[in-house]
Amino acid sequence: MTTTMKHALRSAWAWLAEPTLMRRSVASVLVAFVVVWAVLLGYNFVNYKHTITRDPGLMKYGDAVLDSLTQVTDPAHAATAVAATDHWTNIRRRQIGLLPGVQMHELLDAASGQRVFASPGLQNAALPPAAPRAEPFIEEAALQGRSFRIYTGRNARWVLRVFETKRTDSNFLQYNGRALLPYLLLASPFVLLAVWLSVRHGLRPLQQLASRIAQRGQDDLQSVGFNARHRELKPLEQSLDHLFAQLRQKVDRERAFVQDAAHEIRTPLAVITAQAHVMARSPSEEERAQAQAHLEQAIARTSHLAQQLLDLAALDDAQRPAPRDLDVAQWLRGALAQAAPQAMARQIELSLDAPDTLPARLDQPAFESIAHNLLDNALRYTPDGGNVAVALRHTGAALQLSVQDDGPGIPVTEHQRVFERFYRGAGHAANGSGLGLAIVRQAVLRMGGQVQIGVGVNGKGVGFFVSIPLPHSA
């Protein structure tokens, strides 16, 4: 086989293996035909089993043959009539494919009990005697290794017995399965053609929508503008418009974030450059020491800003870490212990109201970001000699964390804006990047919680109250 032929075969196989809605619809119709065929076959089989218990077919046949012999008194004529009936009945059964195609007859003289006629298959067989019953009846008996249903009926002149091979379930299913199949095969091309046309026509609006989206530029995030007329396509168009709107908001937010970050980091870098120049050029030891102090402050501010930017980027990441088991109360005590030197240097009273232990299963990095930034924000804006109160509770299925201070507070008009990135309220002397509360809000949203602003210690300052649901709390 040449390379070209192999490539053609692989291409053809790939085309056949590729899933398409058209082939799926056609396959569904074919499966439906098979199911219909099986249901019809099952329906006929149930009716057959119900009918066979009464066996009206054999009973009606035997009564009809017996009635035809009512006016016949001559044994020869009667034998001829029954022989003809036997011959043509079995020919007809074989023509229509009725399995098994055997039906045998025996005619007896009612008065003497002498046999007048017997089918060839019964002539040398040992038959059970006919029961002397006035009414026709059907019984089952084994004959020559096969099961038979036997009709027995009598009138004043004759006793007629009809032996019919008992049909097995497999015989019935085979016969009826073949009988139903031609009708389904005849109907399938017309149904498949209708399905093919309907699917092809129905997919045309979807193809038009796909073509319109494919023609859009890589920076085009405007609405699709397809104006779908079909009810099935409207949810798709609405979902695409919603997706593009989210992407536009994300791009705008990221663009603004980059611009604000560049602006914020430019100031400490300028300070670092200027102070480094002073340290290198100034002949005064006092000026160099002062420049070094300013340089260290600028480096610390730049490092803090970079860390907050990394924290915010991590919280924006769609990949969330798996929840961890954490003793929140013990961890919070450790965080306050790390902040204690900073509070003591400024004579700020730092207090904690929390249970001895509070185990919970939560997003640990997000919770740590909330606690660290709220505590840092409180210590940064609380004046020397002030108070910072931290409280932790577990109420119901939620974790409650509050950080309050008695600093200058936040005007009500700025309560919503303080959570914006790089926003810093007017009138504050403390240095900050304006990212701490934005990180808190993002972390709280990632944990499915809420953050609210209220009053601080003794009705002064400001308080931040965080509620975090704990569906899997320990």
Side-chain angles (χ1 to χ4, degrees):
M1 183 180 295
T2 64
T3 305
T4 304
M5 293 181 62
K6 291 181 179 179
H7 180 71
L9 289 176
R10 283 197 297 267
S11 300
W13 173 251
W15 182 83
L16 291 174
E18 182 182 7
T20 66
L21 291 177
M22 184 69 69
R23 281 200 290 269
R24 182 177 180 179
S25 300
V26 172
S28 299
V29 172
L30 293 177
V31 172
F33 270 107
V34 174
V35 172
V36 169
W37 175 79
V39 169
L40 291 177
L41 187 60
Y43 175 77
N44 289 339
F45 180 73
V46 171
N47 283 341
Y48 163 74
K49 299 296 286 187
H50 178 68
T51 301
I52 206 67
T53 57
R54 296 178 287 110
D55 209 358
L58 181 59
M59 182 69 73
K60 290 180 180 180
Y61 173 82
D63 290 345
V65 175
L66 187 62
D67 289 341
S68 67
L69 298 175
T70 302
Q71 304 299 325
V72 180
T73 58
D74 183 65
H77 291 168
T80 301
V82 175
T85 300
D86 180 273
H87 176 73
W88 288 110
T89 297
N90 284 289
I91 288 178
R92 182 56 182 162
R93 288 168 67 88
R94 286 190 291 270
Q95 286 176 346
I96 64 176
L98 191 61
L99 297 175
V102 178
Q103 197 173 58
M104 298 180 292
H105 302 75
E106 182 186 41
L107 184 65
L108 305 176
D109 187 291
S112 63
Q114 295 295 319
R115 175 183 286 176
V116 177
F117 171 82
S119 298
L122 300 177
Q123 291 176 0
N124 299 321
L127 303 180
R133 293 169 56 179
E135 296 296 328
F137 64 94
I138 293 177
E139 60 182 338
E140 292 187 6
L143 182 64
Q144 298 176 343
R146 291 184 293 178
S147 296
F148 282 84
R149 290 195 301 274
I150 306 174
Y151 164 87
T152 302
R154 65 177 62 238
N155 57 24
R157 183 70 179 87
W158 310 109
V159 175
L160 175 67
R161 294 205 292 180
V162 181
F163 295 76
E164 184 178 75
T165 308
K166 186 177 179 180
R167 299 173 66 187
T168 63
D169 293 345
S170 60
N171 293 144
F172 176 86
L173 294 174
Q174 181 182 1
Y175 169 75
N176 283 273
R178 288 203 308 264
L180 290 172
L181 192 58
Y183 298 100
L184 295 179
L185 293 178
L186 180 63
S188 60
F190 301 97
V191 176
L192 290 176
L193 178 62
V195 170
W196 182 79
L197 291 175
S198 63
V199 172
R200 182 180 180 184
H201 180 72
L203 291 179
R204 188 173 302 165
L206 185 60
Q207 294 172 346
Q208 294 173 350
L209 175 60
S211 177
R212 173 167 296 192
I213 294 176
Q215 294 173 359
R216 296 164 65 96
Q218 61 180 2
D219 296 328
D220 186 1
L221 296 179
Q222 298 302 316
S223 299
V224 177
F226 183 66
N227 191 21
R229 296 182 295 107
H230 301 82
R231 182 184 303 173
E232 293 79 5
L233 284 181
K234 288 181 179 179
L236 176 59
E237 183 185 11
Q238 293 171 358
S239 298
L240 288 173
D241 288 342
H242 180 66
L243 174 62
F244 286 142
Q246 288 181 321
L247 289 176
R248 286 197 306 271
Q249 294 175 1
K250 183 175 181 61
V251 169
D252 293 341
R253 186 169 61 248
E254 295 301 328
R255 185 180 293 114
F257 176 75
V258 170
Q259 292 174 353
D260 292 339
H263 175 74
E264 289 295 326
I265 207 169
R266 185 185 301 125
T267 301
L269 288 178
V271 173
I272 291 173
T273 302
Q275 299 305 322
H277 182 76
V278 171
M279 288 182 63
R281 299 294 180 89
S282 177
S284 173
E285 184 66 27
E286 182 179 354
E287 289 181 358
R288 287 197 299 270
Q290 187 178 7
Q292 181 179 357
H294 292 163
L295 179 62
E296 291 175 352
Q297 291 178 0
I299 293 175
R301 180 182 176 185
T302 305
S303 176
H304 179 68
L305 176 60
Q307 184 60 48
Q308 286 190 315
L309 290 173
L310 291 174
D311 291 343
L312 198 56
L315 290 172
D316 283 339
D317 191 0
Q319 297 294 331
R320 301 182 181 181
R324 303 177 188 173
D325 293 324
L326 177 68
D327 190 331
V328 184
Q330 292 296 333
W331 181 90
L332 194 57
R333 286 190 178 88
L336 265 66
Q338 293 178 359
Q342 179 183 356
M344 292 174 62
R346 298 175 50 200
Q347 298 181 349
I348 296 176
E349 184 177 346
L350 187 59
S351 63
L352 174 63
D353 181 12
D356 293 338
T357 61
L358 205 168
R361 187 172 181 81
L362 43 67
D363 184 343
Q364 184 174 345
F367 177 77
E368 291 179 357
S369 294
I370 295 171
H372 278 309
N373 282 280
L374 286 180
L375 188 57
D376 178 74
N377 189 75
L379 293 174
R380 186 181 299 272
Y381 290 97
T382 299
D384 295 349
N387 296 275
V388 174
V390 181
L392 181 67
R393 289 288 183 271
H394 186 193
T395 58
L399 185 68
Q400 308 289 342
L401 173 67
S402 65
V403 179
Q404 298 171 277
D405 61 59
D406 57 358
I410 300 175
V412 178
T413 56
E414 297 185 8
H415 278 189
Q416 295 302 320
R417 297 202 62 190
V418 294
F419 292 105
E420 297 177 4
R421 298 177 180 183
F422 301 108
Y423 178 79
R424 290 191 296 268
H428 297 302
N431 293 323
S433 62
L435 286 176
L437 294 180
I439 293 175
V440 169
R441 182 182 65 173
Q442 190 67 20
V444 169
L445 291 178
R446 192 170 90 167
M447 298 182 73
Q450 295 179 344
V451 57
Q452 296 179 345
I453 302 179
V455 297
V457 178
N458 298 324
K460 299 179 182 180
V462 67
F464 292 91
F465 302 87
V466 177
S467 177
I468 301 171
L470 294 176
H472 303 293
S473 57

